[in-house]
Amino acid sequence: GESVGLHLPTLSVQEGDNSIINCAYSNSASDYFIWYKQESGKGPQFIIDIRSNMDKRQGQRVTVLLNKTVKHLSLQIAATQPGDSAVYFCAENNAGGTSYGKLTFGQGTILTVHP
Amino acid sequence: GAGVSQSPSNKVTEKGKDVELRCDPISGHTALYWYRQSLGQGLEFLIYFQGNSAPDKSGLPSDRFSAERTGGSVSTLTIQRTQQEDSAVYLCASSLALQGGGYTFGSGTRLTVV
């Protein structure tokens, strides 16, 4: 989602629920997308990536979906745990599906998982 | 090293002073990036270096900001005549360009200008 000023979108879930975090991107030329998790006082941590020639990719407990038609990216976290509480950022570039060049970040979503 | 290392982790400086922030990327990573993150905000691109190519400085907010990368490894971000609006977390990342797998970030330097 998008945010205004200092107010990031928030998502609160119960432990064990599935979480879905959304991201809209604006550059139709973007061809590589990454989800990052950032815990307080730490740098962003890579979660999962996807190239524009795919619409779905799965990792351990996480799935990324890409809809290029509407320029939308989502991150699904299965069986959310308290340790998943963090700020989640989507990021994009247009470097042929590689980790090269300027990476543009979304505003982020705060995920809070309640025990 | 095993990860991207940044120093110092915290820096408090007086308005008008110059500061230098250091980044030690993952060994072998050819690309290095600097980002700035203000409180509660996303990451703002500043500059990136790739091998011996001229750096992309398109994100530097003013001529008070500069960066260099020596020997294709360690990088220093310098902010001259610091202002209060420069207060932020400065994050460095490195990547093995031309491959996927994302960019690896350091823990950042929290800069406070008083």
Side-chain angles (χ1 to χ4, degrees):
Chain A
E2 296 186 354
S3 65
V4 177
L6 298 178
H7 302 289
L8 298 181
T10 60
L11 175 64
S12 292
V13 301
Q14 291 295 126
E15 182 177 2
D17 286 352
N18 296 330
S19 302
I20 299 177
I21 300 170
N22 296 303
C23 176
Y25 65 94
S26 57
N27 186 356
S28 58
S30 291
D31 55 18
Y32 181 55
F33 304 87
I34 310 171
W35 279 101
Y36 282 94
K37 171 186 181 183
Q38 187 176 28
E39 297 173 287
S40 180
K42 298 183 180 179
Q45 176 187 359
F46 173 88
I47 301 174
I48 191 168
D49 59 0
I50 189 169
R51 291 177 174 78
S52 59
N53 61 351
M54 303 172 68
D55 53 21
K56 180 179 180 179
R57 190 167 187 222
Q58 289 184 292
Q60 185 176 15
R61 282 203 306 122
V62 294
T63 301
V64 55
L65 299 178
L66 174 63
N67 185 330
K68 295 181 290 294
T69 302
V70 295
K71 292 186 284 188
H72 184 268
L73 194 67
S74 68
L75 176 70
Q76 301 178 358
I77 304 174
T80 316
Q81 302 167 1
D84 294 328
S85 294
V87 181
Y88 288 80
F89 292 97
C90 63
E92 60 188 283
N93 74 9
N94 62 340
T98 69
S99 302
Y100 175 58
K102 178 182 175 181
L103 191 64
T104 300
F105 281 80
Q107 281 293 93
T109 296
I110 300 171
L111 174 65
T112 303
V113 182
H114 301 283
Chain B
V4 177
S5 178
Q6 292 189 245
S7 61
S9 55
N10 282 283
K11 176 72 175 178
V12 180
T13 190
E14 292 181 350
K15 178 180 173 182
K17 301 278 190 180
D18 298 351
V19 295
E20 287 189 349
L21 312 179
R22 177 189 168 104
C23 173
D24 212 330
I26 292 174
S27 178
H29 277 195
T30 54
L32 184 148
Y33 311 81
W34 284 98
Y35 284 82
R36 178 169 71 174
Q37 186 174 31
S38 300
L39 184 63
Q41 298 290 302
L43 279 75
E44 174 191 6
F45 168 78
L46 297 177
I47 185 171
Y48 86 85
F49 300 86
Q50 165 57 20
N52 295 320
S53 302
D56 178 344
K57 304 180 182 180
S58 61
L60 295 179
S62 76
D63 59 9
R64 296 187 295 105
F65 288 72
S66 63
E68 63 177 21
R69 187 180 187 192
T70 54
S73 181
V74 172
S75 177
T76 303
L77 177 69
T78 301
I79 309 174
Q80 296 178 308
R81 305 180 302 281
T82 51
Q83 304 295 313
Q84 287 186 329
E85 60 263 29
D86 299 334
S87 296
V89 176
Y90 289 82
L91 289 156
C92 176
S94 69
S95 72
L96 192 56
L98 305 181
Q99 291 189 13
Y103 303 56
T104 303
F105 282 83
S107 294
T109 294
R110 181 175 297 278
L111 175 67
T112 304
V113 182
V114 298

